[in-house]
Amino acid sequence: MPRIALYPGSFDPVTNGHLDVVRHAVMLCDTLVIAIGVHHGKAPLFTIEERFALARQVLEPIARQAGCKLETTTYDNLTVAAARKIGATLMIRGLRDSTDLNYEMQLAGLNETMAPDVHTVFVPASAATRPIASSIVRQIAEMGGDVSAFVPPIVAASLKAKFGR
């Protein structure tokens, strides 16, 4: 039976931290589904289509090299419902620090109660990617800063185009 893993997030934008998590996740499954959450109360910088395109461009080569299929989807309900819908038995969550761990442990416990067949797998961030957060990358880019150390080149160019700098 193929192992399907769901990696949920906003991916607004895709960062080197996401790449780091995906490098580990593709070793755990046959298919990795990048699930971009839609929050109706939030206005993302990139459209869903732009986030799909950027995610595919930078993440598919990593998956392909590991022999893992990469898919993308979107969801606007509970993450465990999205996982069940695609037949995922694994949910991938990246951890940067103890704050992430506390929050993610709480979510994992709730998700396990709602969907005992979906197992949360925590992937610790490498030292180089621990401080990277999409929201901070967006702020740096908006203020004209250089984000090339935090995102793949195509994402840096997309951020530059968004902010006209």
Side-chain angles (χ1 to χ4, degrees):
M1 187 162 123
R3 299 196 73 149
I4 301 170
L6 183 84
Y7 179 24
S10 67
F11 301 94
D12 188 34
V14 176
T15 69
N16 290 342
H18 293 120
L19 272 70
D20 187 41
V21 170
V22 167
R23 278 189 194 96
H24 295 285
V26 295
M27 306 306 284
L28 304 172
C29 59
D30 302 302
T31 301
L32 178 63
V33 180
I34 304 301
I36 298 176
V38 175
H39 302 281
H40 298 289
K42 293 184 178 179
L45 177 62
F46 290 98
T47 67
I48 287 290
E49 294 78 17
E50 290 169 326
R51 288 183 275 168
F52 277 158
L54 289 170
R56 286 184 193 115
Q57 287 177 335
V58 299
L59 301 177
E60 271 184 346
I62 297 168
R64 193 177 320 112
Q65 185 176 8
C68 181
K69 183 178 177 184
L70 185 102
E71 296 178 0
T72 55
T73 191
T74 186
Y75 70 103
D76 64 356
N77 55 350
L78 292 172
T79 306
V80 291
R84 279 189 160 154
K85 182 178 177 182
I86 64 159
T89 56
L90 300 172
M91 188 179 317
I92 307 296
R93 301 299 294 169
L95 297 176
R96 292 175 297 204
D97 57 23
S98 61
T99 303
D100 281 355
L101 176 63
N102 291 334
Y103 176 73
E104 293 294 342
M105 285 295 290
Q106 187 176 20
L107 281 182
L110 296 169
N111 288 340
E112 182 181 8
T113 300
M114 292 184 285
D117 52 327
V118 179
H119 306 282
T120 301
V121 176
F122 296 124
V123 176
S126 66
T129 64
R130 272 186 208 127
I132 302 172
S134 292
S135 59
I136 297 171
V137 168
R138 284 192 310 270
Q139 288 176 337
I140 294 168
E142 184 176 17
M143 299 173 97
D146 179 9
V147 295
S148 62
F150 314 121
V151 297
I154 191 162
V155 176
S158 296
L159 283 164
K160 198 172 203 174
K162 279 283 183 190
F163 293 114
R165 297 177 191 253

